[in-house]
Amino acid sequence: MILELDCGNSFIKWRVIRGAGGAIVSGGVVDSDQALIAAVKMLHVEALSRCRLVSVRTEDETAQLAAALVEAFALTVTRASAAKSLAGVSNGYEEFERLGLDRWLALLGGYHLAKRACVVIDLGTAVTSDFVNAEGEHLGGFICPGMPLMRNQLRTHTRRIRYDDVSAERALTSLEPGRSTVEAVERGCMLMLHGFVLTQIEQARAHWGDDFTLFITGGDADLAHQVAPQARVVPDLVFVGLAIACPLE
């Protein structure tokens, strides 16, 4: 059994697979190292032998997690690292080490699946996009706030904007002009998100016409699919790239 981890700043996405590239046994999202270990222990699966992970956390935080996993499960931990090029894809950043590892793995995974020019849009706490041409050259990308950041900034810095998550979810049943603060904020943020996605499609078409694949991934992927029905929604795209970066055969 292999444990795969995508360690973000706020959450850890995990899954257990049966052998390298095998069937998914279980998975989930947790908010701490302790919660991760507890969740995996509850599976009562056969012994885990290996772990491969990608982390955007600090070196110390990542090392602490790796040590905790070794102590809990006596497995071998392999970590993804930055690369100038890998598996036919070249990193387009001037300082390739500065490209977020989650973005690098997602665009690796996207190019591997598409085998042609592609755009990878990751909709999470932040929203990112990356462009890769048919030759595997990463052309760069964009970063902007995602829905959580946009709404939280308005809630934090505007005294009269106060509402709960249930109200926020209810407000997104329509994109008509809002008739309350929660509707105006949530629908406004949603339209900004949609505008970002549509702009990425326009840029891709300027490069390649219609000869490209659009991937949407991340926790809020479902929020954008209605304006990009042609997109391939691949929730675990980072894990596709992780398998390429850290083969465990």
Side-chain angles (χ1 to χ4, degrees), residues 10 16 36 43 61 82 133 169 176 191-192 195 241:
S10 302
V16 173
L36 168 67
L43 294 178
E61 290 172 328
N133 68 18
E169 184 175 349
E176 289 295 313
L191 290 176
M192 291 186 71

Side-chain angles (χ1 to χ4, degrees), residues 42-63:
M42 287 182 64
L43 294 178
H44 302 296
V45 296
E46 61 190 74
L48 293 167
S49 60
R50 292 168 291 180
C51 169
R52 56 187 172 200
L53 68 83
V54 56
S55 175
V56 298
R57 299 179 170 192
T58 66
E59 180 64 28
D60 286 346
E61 290 172 328
T62 305

Side-chain angles (χ1 to χ4, degrees), residues 125-202:
T125 303
V127 172
T128 65
S129 70
D130 285 284
F131 291 68
V132 184
N133 68 18
E135 291 70 45
E137 297 171 325
H138 174 223
L139 305 182
F142 300 93
I143 304 173
C144 73
M147 286 289 286
L149 283 178
M150 285 192 283
R151 68 163 63 96
N152 288 340
Q153 283 295 302
L154 286 169
R155 285 175 173 177
T156 301
H157 297 289
T158 307
R159 292 181 180 178
R160 292 183 178 273
I161 295 179
R162 295 289 185 272
Y163 55 84
D164 57 33
D165 292 339
V166 174
S167 299
E169 184 175 349
R170 189 182 306 121
L172 289 176
T173 58
S174 166
L175 288 180
E176 289 295 313
R179 297 174 64 87
S180 66
T181 298
V182 61
E183 290 180 353
V185 169
E186 290 297 315
R187 295 173 188 179
C189 290
M190 178 67 80
L191 290 176
M192 291 186 71
L193 185 69
H194 286 178
F196 179 87
V197 172
L198 291 172
T199 300
Q200 306 313 296
I201 296 172
E202 289 177 3

Side-chain angles (χ1 to χ4, degrees), residues 11 24 28 39 69-70 102 137 148 173 183 188 197 199 202 210 238:
F11 299 100
I24 299 171
L69 291 169
V70 171
D102 51 348
E137 297 171 325
T173 58
E183 290 180 353
V197 172
T199 300
E202 289 177 3
D210 289 324
V238 168

Side-chain angles (χ1 to χ4, degrees), residues 9-43:
N9 291 304
S10 302
F11 299 100
I12 301 172
K13 187 174 184 180
W14 65 274
R15 69 181 192 180
V16 173
I17 62 173
R18 198 180 302 278
I24 299 171
V25 175
S26 187
V29 178
V30 294
D31 60 3
S32 69
D33 298 359
Q34 296 76 18
L36 168 67
I37 291 171
V40 176
K41 283 184 175 180
M42 287 182 64
L43 294 178

